[in-house]
Amino acid sequence: MTGPRLPRPTRLAARDVAVLSVVGLRARMARTVLAALGIAIGIAALVAVVGIPASNQEALRAQIAALGPNLLTVAPGSDLFGADKAKLPPESVAMIRRIGPVEAVSATGVTKASVRRSDLVPAEETGGIRVAASRLDLLDVVHARVREGDFLTSADDRYPVVVLGDRAAHLLGVALPADRPAPLVWIDDRQFVVVGVLDPVPLAPEIDSSALVGWPAAEAFLGFDGTPGLIYVRAADHAIEAVKSVLGRTVNPARPNEVLVSRPSDALAAQRITEKAYSALFLGLGGIALLVGGIGVANTMVISVLERRREIGLRRALGASRRQVCVQFLAESVVLAGLGGGLGVLLGTAVTAGYAVTQGWPAVLPVPVLLGGVGAAVVIGVLAGLYPAVRAARMAPTTALADA
């Protein structure tokens, strides 16, 4: 004779599982918030670490596009003995102009003069400012802009006038107010009139720390020998590498090894390599924070199982299957981690956008990273809640009620 057939446990609908998981978390709100916060910090760190460099990279692309990636610089290198005594021939600029794809050429020449705010400042205290002779077309080639006043012209490049780079003007404390006479600075033993101040030049940072005088004035007043010290070359975009490869032999056919050719936009891009190394470091820290947050979720769920043994025993006694108990606690873990992931994505987005705005960058938020942040949180929720859920499912109803 067989005993009475036990009723088959009903299945929980997905909606019922979601309601149970939310009710379980709301009953312990403080613990839920703290556990979700750990996940949120990790996800926010990951989103910010990816979003900030992406914004920086987009700003770099825009900056290089505006300045032109087709700028090359030519400078004297070392001679055969390794000494820094090599010079560029005086006819270097004219020789470079003969290269077909070259669009524009200009140059500056190094002098031994020093610049001071007044003759009361010791001559050796230059503040790192160099005095350089400048061609009149320099600004057009390097895409620089005058912030105050004017640049050198054919009307004044043979007279004692000077244009200061951004850093040079700051160090000398020079500004050009519209309602006052032009300020004076001392270059060697002669006063020069400051006629202009430049904006920063990202592709030619040496200009920022320079006091630029006309080429004829440098020869007349500063003992300049007319030799170019740094040549700036604009070439057609499609031929930039070809031009770069022939510049050394064009400038100095006899000793092309004494000519250094570089591309300033490459230097700007190289600066981001270091920043990417720091990004990898912060990415690791974000991963650690995410791991700690996952451990916090697991700890919260284990404690929840221990505290809710009476509930588990009662549900099992009323007919809930082990699978239903397991799904309930696993769903609570996933919802908890999902809340933290969503909060982390919002926080990381806010941090990325805020930092980009303060730096003047376009805010770039890669969609795969945002979706991946929430996905990672869900995966962590599953892994962190698996053991507590299985442990809850294995509790016998009598044992759970007796221990409660």
Side-chain angles (χ1 to χ4, degrees), residues 70-354:
N70 60 339
L71 178 67
L72 296 170
T73 59
V74 181
S78 303
D79 58 19
L80 292 176
F81 301 99
D84 296 331
K85 296 182 179 180
K87 288 187 175 183
L88 299 178
E91 63 276 8
S92 297
V93 174
M95 296 291 289
I96 293 174
R97 282 201 177 98
R98 298 178 183 177
I99 302 175
V102 170
E103 298 174 345
V105 187
S106 189
T108 60
V110 180
T111 72
K112 296 181 179 180
S114 61
V115 58
R116 298 166 289 164
R117 188 65 180 88
S118 73
D119 58 343
L120 301 178
V121 179
E124 60 273 8
E125 295 183 8
T126 63
I129 304 174
R130 68 168 192 154
V131 179
S134 172
R135 300 275 188 173
L136 299 181
D137 54 359
L138 178 65
L139 297 195
D140 294 333
V141 177
V142 299
H143 290 184
R145 294 182 301 178
V146 178
R147 183 170 68 239
E148 300 174 350
D150 300 293
F151 194 64
L152 301 169
T153 66
S154 57
D156 59 15
D157 69 335
R158 64 185 66 254
Y159 299 106
V161 298
V162 62
V163 175
L164 299 177
D166 176 73
R167 181 175 177 272
H170 175 73
L171 292 175
L172 293 172
V174 172
L176 297 178
D179 56 344
R180 296 181 183 178
L184 302 174
V185 295
W186 281 80
I187 299 180
D188 279 355
D189 57 352
R190 182 183 294 271
Q191 285 184 317
F192 277 65
V193 180
V194 179
V195 296
V197 175
L198 303 180
D199 274 332
V201 188
L203 289 185
E206 63 279 351
I207 294 178
D208 296 341
S209 300
S210 298
L212 303 174
V213 300
W215 206 272
E219 292 176 329
F221 305 121
L222 306 178
F224 177 52
D225 61 2
T227 302
L230 190 59
I231 302 175
Y232 301 92
V233 182
R234 287 281 179 185
D237 292 339
H238 68 276
I240 188 70
E241 293 299 330
V243 172
K244 184 177 179 181
S245 65
V246 301
L247 275 175
R249 294 190 297 272
T250 301
V251 170
N252 195 340
R255 291 183 290 274
N257 58 295
E258 296 184 3
V259 180
L260 295 178
V261 181
S262 61
R263 192 176 181 181
S265 58
D266 291 341
L268 278 180
Q271 292 176 3
R272 301 307 188 266
I273 297 177
T274 304
E275 295 174 1
K276 287 182 179 179
Y278 284 106
S279 296
L281 173 62
F282 289 118
L283 192 63
L285 294 177
I288 294 174
L290 200 57
L291 176 62
V292 172
I295 294 174
V297 171
N299 183 59
T300 298
M301 295 310 302
V302 168
I303 295 176
S304 179
V305 169
L306 295 176
E307 290 180 345
R308 296 162 66 185
R309 285 174 296 183
R310 183 185 297 274
E311 175 191 338
I312 296 170
L314 184 60
R315 289 200 61 207
R316 290 297 311 281
L318 293 175
S321 66
R322 290 185 175 182
R323 180 179 179 182
Q324 290 173 347
V325 174
C326 180
V327 168
Q328 175 189 348
F329 280 89
L330 190 60
E332 287 187 16
S333 179
V334 171
V335 171
L336 178 59
L339 289 174
L343 179 61
V345 168
L346 293 177
L347 183 60
T349 300
V351 170
T352 301

Side-chain angles (χ1 to χ4, degrees), residues 367-392:
V367 175
V369 175
L370 301 181
L371 298 179
V374 178
V378 173
V379 171
I380 289 174
V382 172
L383 296 177
L386 190 60
Y387 169 72
V390 172
R391 181 172 179 174

